[in-house]
């Protein structure tokens, strides 16, 4: 198999490094987790992205989750184009913001009112602030390997880029700023009980990715879900579901529908912006009534509810609501992940394929991945080799063992077959290079 021609991307990266830290506007894009050169994107269409050198890839990153309808879905393009004719930003209320908020409320019964912001990070930091304001308590519980954006106090034992780069606690965060963050192992109900027994009266909230996407995909055990349901509530603390990644992605009603969870607050992003910048947090009306201008918890944003993101979000949710593609996505993702596991087996490579709905991760390890400790045991070098073998064969995977891959409604059987064909060859190449894997 010939090497990829990435000449133009390499040239672009050299130029970018002189203007942007590390040449990228978000660390994972630099490929530090897998080595090598990133491709610079020229465009995307449906299930595919194209780079500056004219290479085409089946896209399994999909902008890190938002593009559940694939690139440039015509209804989303039409909605954005329509809004451009009226103006891009007003800093004043529009009816469409109400429409999007009503759509979120219809899908997520736990959300009584919802505030739009600009990113998942804004959503999580604002939700925790609301929880602290409501309870009058300082502490927040998070779980190892979960990533809730880059607010100071949440960059503790975090997944995603921090896990990829081996820096789970960011520099630049004074110890005092994170002193009220308690970090527990994911999937450990005993640890949650013990934390509340020790400090329950001080804990404002537990924040959790109900299905984790940010240490790769990790699923919650039933006992852990039950503890999330009951323990915070028993101690007067709130449960915050970080559904930035899973909201409208794993089901119309998100992870909370699949797990029968009723969080006090929910954080959203990604899919609700249809690929444009957006975030949202909402939940119990009594908690949200503490948020300014109703209450004393301050949070604001010039661009919040901007018309372009809102239009793309409404168009995306309308299609998801009308056509209910979730069973179809489930079928495609099950076939893909079953095929990936079989291809690895045939090549003598030991992997664990974790999946929920249309998000999945191939972990290079022989033991089930159920928390950060087991994720951290994966063979990162084997993953890196697999990433490059797949990319050479026209498949774009996340450039990190600790991120989720995604499918969209644009990925039909032909695209799944392309991925499986590439995977069969790639696993064989990885098996040859890493005989003990
Ligand atoms: N896991 C990250 C999003 N939740 C990946 C995107 C990024 O860090 O740029």
């Amino acid at each position: 198999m010939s090497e990829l021609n990435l000449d133009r991307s390499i040239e672009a990266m050299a130029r970018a490094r002189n203007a942007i830290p590390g040449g990228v506007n978000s660390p994972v894009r630099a490929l530090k987790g897998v080595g090598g050169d990133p491709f610079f994107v020229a465009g995307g269409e449906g299930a595919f992205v194209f780079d500056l050198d004219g290479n085409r890839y089946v896209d399994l990153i999909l902008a890190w989750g938002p593009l559940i309808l694939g690139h440039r879905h015509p209804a989303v393009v039409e909605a954005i184009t329509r809004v451009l004719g009226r103006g891009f930003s007003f800093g004043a209320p529009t009816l469409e913001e109400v429409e999007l908020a009503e759509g979120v409320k219809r899908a997520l019964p736990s959300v009584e009112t919802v505030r739009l912001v600009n990113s998942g990070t804004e959503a999580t930091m604002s939700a925790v602030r609301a929880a602290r304001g409501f309870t009058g308590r300082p502490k927040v519980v998070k779980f190892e390997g979960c990533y809730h954006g880059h607010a100071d106090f949440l960059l503790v034992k975090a997944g995603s880029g921090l896990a990829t780069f081996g820096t789970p606690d960011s520099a630049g965060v004074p110890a005092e700023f994170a002193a009220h963050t308690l970090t527990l192992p994911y999937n450990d109900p005993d640890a949650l009980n013990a934390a509340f027994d020790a400090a329950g009266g001080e804990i404002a909230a537990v924040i959790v990715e109900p299905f984790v996407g940010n240490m790769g995909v990790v699923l919650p055990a039933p006992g852990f879900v039950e503890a999330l349901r009951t323990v915070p509530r028993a101690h007067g603390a709130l449960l915050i579901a970080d559904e930035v990644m899973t909201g409208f992605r794993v089901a119309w009603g998100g992870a909370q529908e699949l797990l029968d969870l009723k969080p006090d607050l929910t954080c959203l992003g990604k899919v609700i912006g249809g690929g444009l910048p957006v975030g949202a947090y909402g939940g119990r009306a009594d908690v949200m009534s503490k948020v300014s201008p109703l209450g004393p918890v301050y949070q604001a944003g010039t661009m919040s509810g901007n018309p372009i993101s809102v239009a793309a979000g409404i168009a995306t949710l309308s299609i998801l609501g009308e056509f209910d593609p979730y069973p179809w996505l489930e079928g495609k993702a099950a076939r893909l992940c079953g095929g990936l596991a079989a291809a690895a087996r045939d090549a003598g490579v030991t992997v664990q394929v974790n999946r929920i709905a249309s998000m999945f991760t191939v972990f290079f390890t022989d033991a089930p991945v159920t928390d950060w400790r087991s994720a951290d045991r994966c063979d990162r070098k084997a993953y890196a080799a697999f990433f490059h073998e797949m990319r050479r064969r026209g498949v774009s995977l996340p450039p990190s063992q600790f991120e989720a891959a995604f499918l969209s409604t644009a990925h039909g059987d032909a695209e799944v077959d392309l991925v499986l064909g590439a995977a069969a060859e790639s696993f064989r190449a990885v098996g040859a290079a890493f005989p003990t894997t």
Side-chain angles (χ1 to χ4, degrees), residues 266-337:
T266 296
C267 303
L268 296 164
K270 301 207 189 256
V271 172
I272 66 159
L276 277 85
V278 85
Y281 68 104
R284 279 170 45 186
D286 57 343
V287 180
M288 292 303 288
S289 72
K290 297 292 177 202
V291 175
S292 188
L294 293 177
V297 175
Y298 198 71
Q299 178 271 308
T302 299
M303 293 292 169
S304 294
N306 89 79
I308 307 176
S309 299
V310 166
I314 292 171
T316 301
L317 297 201
S318 303
I319 289 172
L320 297 176
E322 188 177 345
F323 295 103
D324 185 18
Y326 297 101
W328 189 92
L329 282 164
E330 172 67 25
K332 287 281 173 289
R335 184 164 96 78
L336 175 64
C337 289

Side-chain angles (χ1 to χ4, degrees), residues 48-337:
F48 295 93
V49 280
F50 309 92
D51 70 17
L52 294 183
D53 291 283
N55 301 302
R56 183 185 86 153
Y57 310 87
V58 179
D59 189 8
L60 299 180
I61 300 178
L62 292 169
W64 302 97
L67 300 179
I68 193 168
L69 304 177
H71 292 274
R72 300 188 72 249
H73 188 284
V76 180
V77 173
E78 203 266 326
I80 293 171
T81 310
R82 197 163 4 102
V83 94
L84 289 178
R86 292 180 19 221
F88 334 126
S89 198
F90 306 112
T94 61
L95 209 46
E96 288 79 5
E97 292 164 67
V98 186
E99 195 183 323
L100 184 55
E102 287 170 348
V104 169
K105 273 167 56 82
R106 268 196 302 280
L108 304 177
S110 72
V111 175
E112 293 171 337
T113 62
V114 57
R115 169 68 59 84
L116 296 181
V117 291
N118 298 295
S119 67
T121 293
E122 276 188 57
T124 53
M125 62 184 250
S126 306
V128 172
R129 186 180 300 151
R132 285 173 164 157
F134 179 77
T135 59
R137 300 174 177 181
K139 293 197 185 303
V140 59
V141 170
K142 77 172 284 289
F143 298 97
E144 289 169 12
C146 287
Y147 173 74
H148 305 290
H150 60 88
D152 283 344
F153 66 97
L154 292 170
L155 287 182
V156 184
K157 295 193 180 165
S160 192
L162 292 99
T164 304
F165 299 151
T167 52
D169 305 314
S170 171
V173 178
E176 296 83 348
F177 286 26
H180 289 304
T181 306
L182 307 175
T183 310
L184 306 177
Y186 184 80
N187 260 336
D188 187 339
D190 293 341
L192 187 62
N193 270 303
F196 272 94
D197 287 345
E202 291 177 80
I203 298 173
V206 172
I207 185 165
V208 64
E209 291 184 82
F211 295 111
V212 188
N214 282 301
M215 53 178 142
V217 171
V218 174
L219 310 187
F224 183 60
V225 177
E226 185 53 23
L228 291 175
R229 261 187 220 116
T230 55
V231 177
R233 188 154 301 159
H235 291 267
L238 306 187
L239 177 64
I240 303 175
D242 179 349
E243 295 228 45
V244 169
M245 208 178 268
T246 54
F248 293 92
R249 161 57 72 179
V250 296
W252 173 247
Q256 53 198 269
E257 176 188 308
L258 298 184
L259 296 170
D260 194 21
L261 269 182
K262 195 167 186 297
D264 302 289
L265 293 174
T266 296
C267 303
L268 296 164
K270 301 207 189 256
V271 172
I272 66 159
L276 277 85
V278 85
Y281 68 104
R284 279 170 45 186
D286 57 343
V287 180
M288 292 303 288
S289 72
K290 297 292 177 202
V291 175
S292 188
L294 293 177
V297 175
Y298 198 71
Q299 178 271 308
T302 299
M303 293 292 169
S304 294
N306 89 79
I308 307 176
S309 299
V310 166
I314 292 171
T316 301
L317 297 201
S318 303
I319 289 172
L320 297 176
E322 188 177 345
F323 295 103
D324 185 18
Y326 297 101
W328 189 92
L329 282 164
E330 172 67 25
K332 287 281 173 289
R335 184 164 96 78
L336 175 64
C337 289

